[in-house]
Amino acid sequence: MDKAKILVIDDDPVCTGVLLAILGDDYEVASANSGSGAIEVLTAMRPNLILLDITMPNINGYQVIKHLKSDDSTATIPVIVISSLVEESDKEFALKLGADDYLTKPIQPNAIQAMLDQYLAA
């Protein structure tokens, strides 16, 4: 069986490294360190799920969500936000834009795995 494809979008190399270490054995993982880089990766890879940071320079995570959800080819890809923004209003705004779920940093492997199990269940 093919591994599910996950795209990690985060400008923090430490967070990206942690996610790659958590996911690397069980999933096909690609990463982008910016919103604009993510859009480029999406043309080459059609992920089954996206893990997305909000606070990035130039194109932030909110703008990435808007782009993903407005494009028919990416609108159905589940987007899980993993952010250092902990206010309820930040979560509500991301969900209103179309994010499927929202986790706060620091990264918790068990919480991420539970989300993946939920959204990648076939």
Side-chain angles (χ1 to χ4, degrees):
M1 186 170 153
D2 290 338
K3 292 181 178 182
K5 299 175 184 174
I6 298 176
L7 175 57
V8 175
I9 308 168
D10 196 323
D11 64 328
D12 182 338
V14 173
C15 290
T16 300
V18 168
L19 287 168
L20 292 175
I22 293 169
L23 304 171
D25 291 340
D26 299 319
Y27 304 95
E28 183 180 326
V29 184
S31 65
N33 63 4
S34 68
S36 57
I39 293 166
E40 291 176 25
V41 172
L42 282 166
T43 62
M45 172 197 197
R46 186 60 56 210
N48 301 100
L49 184 135
I50 295 171
L51 298 175
L52 174 66
D53 185 26
I54 294 296
T55 52
M56 297 182 290
N58 301 322
I59 299 176
N60 66 35
Y62 294 131
Q63 292 165 304
V64 172
I65 295 169
K66 285 181 190 177
H67 175 82
L68 291 168
K69 298 305 177 178
S70 68
D71 183 332
D72 288 343
S73 68
T74 57
T76 60
I77 299 171
V79 176
I80 299 172
V81 171
I82 302 178
S83 179
S84 58
L85 300 176
V86 297
E87 296 297 324
E88 189 64 27
S89 60
D90 298 314
K91 176 180 178 177
E92 288 172 2
F93 188 60
L95 296 173
K96 182 179 177 183
L97 290 175
D100 294 275
D101 229 315
Y102 194 100
L103 295 171
T104 56
K105 294 178 180 178
I107 294 169
Q108 299 175 1
N110 290 341
I112 290 172
Q113 190 58 59
M115 292 281 178
L116 296 178
D117 291 345
Q118 177 183 345
Y119 288 102
L120 295 175

